[in-house]
Amino acid sequence: MYLSIIISILFNCMRLALSAIDDDCPSLANGDNLSQTQLLDRLTHGCRYDRLERPVTYTEDGARLPVDVYMRAYIYFVQNLEAHDLQFKIFALLQMRYLDPRLNFRHVAPKRLQPILGEQQLRDNIWLPHIFLANERDSSILGTKEKDILTSISPDGTVIVSSRIKATLYCWLNLKKFPFDEQYCSTVLESWMYNTSELVLHWEQRRPITYDPALHLTEFLLQRSWSNETVINADLSDLRHGAFAGNYSSLSFTVHLTRVVGFYLMDYFLPSMLIVAISWVSFWLQADQAPPRITLGTSTMLTFITLASAQGKTLPKVSYIKVSEVWFLGCTIFIFGSMLEFAFVNTIWRRKRNVPVRKLNSRHILKSTLSPHLLRRRSHARSRSFSGILRQMENSSLGGNQPFNNYLTVNLPITTITEGQVMNQNSDRKRKGSLDMLSSGTTNRRLDVNFVESALGAAASTATASVSNAVSMDLPDFSSNNNLLGEEFSHEEQIASTGWTTLTPQEIAIWIDNRARFMFPLAFLAFNVFFWSFVYCI
């Protein structure tokens, strides 16, 4: 009797325990008649679902498989790169998809074919993979956090989470060819909590990265993009994943951007070309006009420096040389060169002595101009040597030692002019006779202009008593600006007859300015050929 009472008591206790269990774990029966919220609450009840534990699937051997999370990105807008901060902003829709078998309601509610849609309340009841942007500096959810993250659960347990984000991402810029540079900026997604043994990230097979058709950038052109799947090895030296070491799955997509140079051509390169060309106007001003030439040179230099410094303020202070700096340096050299050319010709213009030259070409003119004292000393040395030889010859012929000082008797055809005699010769015959007179002689040699300048500082006169009855013609003084040859003969004729000619400092200054008018533009043209060939061909 007592045994039957004990059995009945135990049976009643078991019934009470089972009823309590049924009350704590709601039934999934009649799922088609439940509302979406009721069905979700029963699927995610604590007796069936643990939101802190990831979905677990097993192989045939009983080994745990990682969760496969598939990602897709839709790019709304990409803001221009901020070169001084090495960053860019992106507005995108990120979507991740994974399978959670615990949320499969196909067998519970076979008539429910539509997915369960929800926002924050649905997202708070299920497990979500923790994915973060590895190269972000700042990120936020567009709109309101509660409304702008959409979550859907399909009948087979597939979960899709879509969120609209705005992120400021780090991008290292290579500015060596600025502003003709190309940049590659990446967006990197990584798993935060779970390593590759627990979670693996994948890009969707079809169109993982798509762009808004209205997407346009003001300073760059989007050439192409590509995606990549990698594994990041984290250790204690890399605390990006906290203190957890291991291999973490990572996704990235990279955009290839090329800079549009139209702005820089119109606001930097073309104005700098015009500034350099303006500095060449000084070559058309006379060399002694110092105020306008100095004002023009300094104003063009300061204007170009201001233009270049304004352009460089938007760039980071990098250690290597940029293409824009090469252009700036080249233009500065040309502007500074025009100022040096003015200083050079102005110095020559203010000289007092003429410059003897052997030939009328750039080499001899510049050589004589840059070292006039050296040529004068050499010419005087030759004239003294020649004067000594002639003095010895004269002494031996006259049989005495007659002092000659600065006078020299040269065996030239002598024309004696008597009183009342007039030489009626036209200019052509005079030029011819003078040239024949200068080119004739016993030795049939050409006279050194510097020798004549040294030995015949004044007009030649009678040197000895033996020739006092003869009247010799005065030789021209080549050192004078108004000498016979300077007035009647060209420089080419003087060189043909004597082997030398003289140029006034003003003639040399004008000659240098005339050459600079062509040499500077040609050199700048060659610089442009090399510069633009490097930019577009290398």
Side-chain angles (χ1 to χ4, degrees):
M1 178 179 180
Y2 291 103
L3 182 60
S4 61
I5 294 174
I6 294 173
I7 292 174
S8 63
I9 293 173
L10 291 175
F11 180 75
N12 291 330
C13 291
M14 292 178 63
R15 289 182 61 186
L16 292 174
L18 291 175
S19 64
I21 293 175
D22 292 337
D23 293 338
D24 292 339
C25 189
S27 174
L28 293 176
N30 299 323
D32 292 329
N33 298 328
L34 299 176
S35 65
Q36 181 173 283
T37 303
Q38 292 175 339
L39 179 60
L40 179 63
D41 289 340
R42 296 189 181 189
L43 288 174
T44 58
H45 195 273
C47 64
R48 299 186 180 91
Y49 193 90
D50 186 1
R51 64 180 304 270
L52 298 180
E53 184 179 356
R54 71 173 183 87
V56 179
T57 56
Y58 298 92
T59 63
E60 297 178 355
D61 299 335
R64 290 165 57 99
L65 293 175
V67 180
D68 292 319
V69 179
Y70 296 88
M71 301 291 299
R72 174 180 280 122
Y74 181 82
I75 311 301
Y76 297 116
F77 176 70
V78 177
Q79 190 171 340
N80 283 332
L81 296 176
E82 300 175 6
H84 56 284
D85 292 329
L86 300 178
Q87 65 184 20
F88 69 103
K89 291 183 180 180
I90 187 173
F91 297 78
L93 169 67
L94 291 182
Q95 186 181 88
M96 56 183 176
R97 176 178 62 88
Y98 62 95
L99 180 63
D100 191 345
R102 297 171 297 178
L103 300 177
N104 188 340
F105 59 88
R106 178 172 296 171
H107 302 289
V108 177
K111 296 182 179 180
R112 187 182 293 272
L113 302 179
Q114 298 298 323
I116 300 175
L117 300 178
E119 297 170 350
Q120 182 177 2
Q121 182 180 0
L122 174 58
R123 190 174 62 256
D124 292 341
N125 291 332
I126 62 176
W127 175 87
L128 292 175
H130 194 164
I131 310 298
F132 75 102
L133 294 168
N135 61 330
E136 71 171 338
R137 289 186 173 179
D138 184 27
S139 63
S140 60
I141 302 297
L142 290 175
T144 60
K145 186 176 181 181
E146 295 80 8
K147 298 291 185 179
D148 287 86
I149 299 180
L150 178 63
T151 305
S152 67
I153 302 175
S154 300
D156 60 349
T158 300
V159 180
I160 298 177
V161 181
S162 303
S163 59
R164 298 189 305 122
I165 66 168
K166 176 182 69 175
T168 302
L169 305 175
Y170 170 79
C171 178
W172 174 254
L173 303 180
N174 184 0
L175 299 173
K176 290 183 178 180
K177 296 189 70 174
F178 175 86
F180 309 94
D181 53 328
E182 300 180 1
Q183 304 299 335
Y184 300 88
C185 295
S186 300
T187 301
V188 183
L189 301 168
E190 294 182 10
S191 172
W192 172 256
M193 293 179 56
Y194 301 99
N195 56 29
T196 53
S197 62
E198 302 291 334
L199 186 145
V200 178
L201 296 176
H202 306 276
W203 286 113
E204 293 281 3
Q205 296 296 324
R206 298 179 63 250
R207 303 185 64 186
I209 309 296
T210 54
Y211 297 90
D212 192 329
L215 175 63
H216 295 286
L217 286 80
T218 57
E219 191 175 347
F220 290 88
L221 289 178
L222 179 59
Q223 298 293 338
R224 60 194 180 96
S225 65
W226 61 90
S227 58
N228 189 28
E229 300 180 7
T230 57
V231 175
I232 303 299
N233 184 13
D235 52 19
L236 296 180
S237 63
D238 183 7
L239 299 180
R240 181 166 53 184
H241 295 271
F244 303 100
N247 296 325
Y248 291 84
S249 182
S250 174
L251 299 179
S252 65
F253 69 92
T254 304
V255 292
H256 177 201
L257 303 174
T258 57
R259 194 181 301 270
V260 180
V261 299
F263 169 79
Y264 296 95
L265 288 177
M266 297 301 298
D267 283 37
Y268 180 66
F269 287 99
L270 184 59
S272 60
M273 291 180 184
L274 296 178
I275 292 174
V276 173
I278 290 173
S279 68
W280 300 336
V281 175
S282 63
F283 302 149
W284 275 263
L285 300 177
Q286 195 163 289
D288 61 340
Q289 297 181 358
R293 294 188 72 161
I294 291 176
T295 302
L296 182 62
T298 54
S299 61
T300 52
M301 176 66 76
L302 294 177
T303 303
F304 183 72
I305 291 176
T306 303
L307 176 67
S309 61
Q311 181 267 336
K313 289 181 179 179
T314 59
L315 299 177
K317 307 303 187 289
V318 295
S319 58
Y320 49 82
I321 298 177
K322 302 184 288 292
V323 167
S324 59
E325 295 173 341
V326 174
W327 176 264
F328 166 75
L329 180 61
C331 293
T332 303
I333 290 175
F334 279 98
I335 298 175
F336 187 70
S338 65
M339 299 178 65
L340 289 181
E341 190 271 349
F342 159 69
F344 182 59
V345 298
N346 184 261
T347 302
I348 296 174
W349 185 279
R350 291 184 283 107
R351 287 182 180 177
K352 302 301 181 182
R353 293 179 177 271
N354 293 350
V355 178
V357 294
R358 185 181 296 273
K359 293 181 180 180
L360 290 177
N361 56 33
S362 302
R363 176 175 173 270
H364 288 85
I365 292 177
L366 292 178
K367 183 178 180 180
S368 302
T369 304
L370 294 175
S371 57
H373 300 292
L374 178 61
L375 292 175
R376 188 176 295 111
R377 286 195 297 269
R378 291 178 179 176
S379 186
H380 288 340
R382 292 194 301 269
S383 64
R384 287 195 297 269
S385 175
F386 191 30
S387 177
I389 295 174
L390 292 179
R391 186 181 297 112
Q392 294 177 3
M393 295 173 61
E394 185 67 22
N395 290 338
S396 61
S397 63
L398 296 177
N401 295 326
Q402 303 295 335
F404 286 90
N405 295 330
N406 291 330
Y407 301 96
L408 176 66
T409 300
V410 183
N411 293 325
L412 294 174
I414 298 175
T415 302
T416 303
I417 303 174
T418 61
E419 295 183 1
Q421 181 181 359
V422 181
M423 300 178 65
N424 296 322
Q425 298 178 351
N426 55 34
S427 59
D428 295 337
R429 294 183 61 188
K430 185 187 298 183
R431 291 164 59 91
K432 183 177 183 301
S434 299
L435 288 174
D436 294 340
M437 177 174 54
L438 289 175
S439 60
S440 63
T442 57
T443 60
N444 196 21
R445 294 181 179 177
R446 294 179 178 176
L447 294 178
D448 192 327
V449 170
N450 293 291
F451 161 72
V452 175
E453 179 184 356
S454 175
L456 304 178
S461 63
T462 305
T464 62
S466 60
V467 292
S468 60
N469 295 326
V471 180
S472 62
M473 184 180 67
D474 294 341
L475 290 177
D477 182 7
F478 291 164
S479 64
S480 174
N481 290 336
N482 297 318
N483 58 69
L484 177 63
L485 292 179
E487 291 181 353
E488 298 187 2
F489 303 106
S490 65
H491 296 297
E492 290 79 3
E493 292 174 336
Q494 295 179 35
I495 293 176
S497 61
T498 65
W500 289 83
T501 187
T502 57
L503 294 176
T504 64
Q506 291 75 22
E507 289 177 330
I508 295 177
I510 295 174
W511 180 87
I512 294 175
D513 274 339
N514 290 337
R515 295 300 186 275
R517 295 172 188 175
F518 299 98
M519 294 303 298
F520 272 75
L522 289 178
F524 190 65
L525 179 61
F527 170 72
N528 275 267
V529 170
F530 283 107
F531 178 82
W532 298 107
S533 298
F534 171 80
V535 167
Y536 287 105
C537 299
I538 299 178

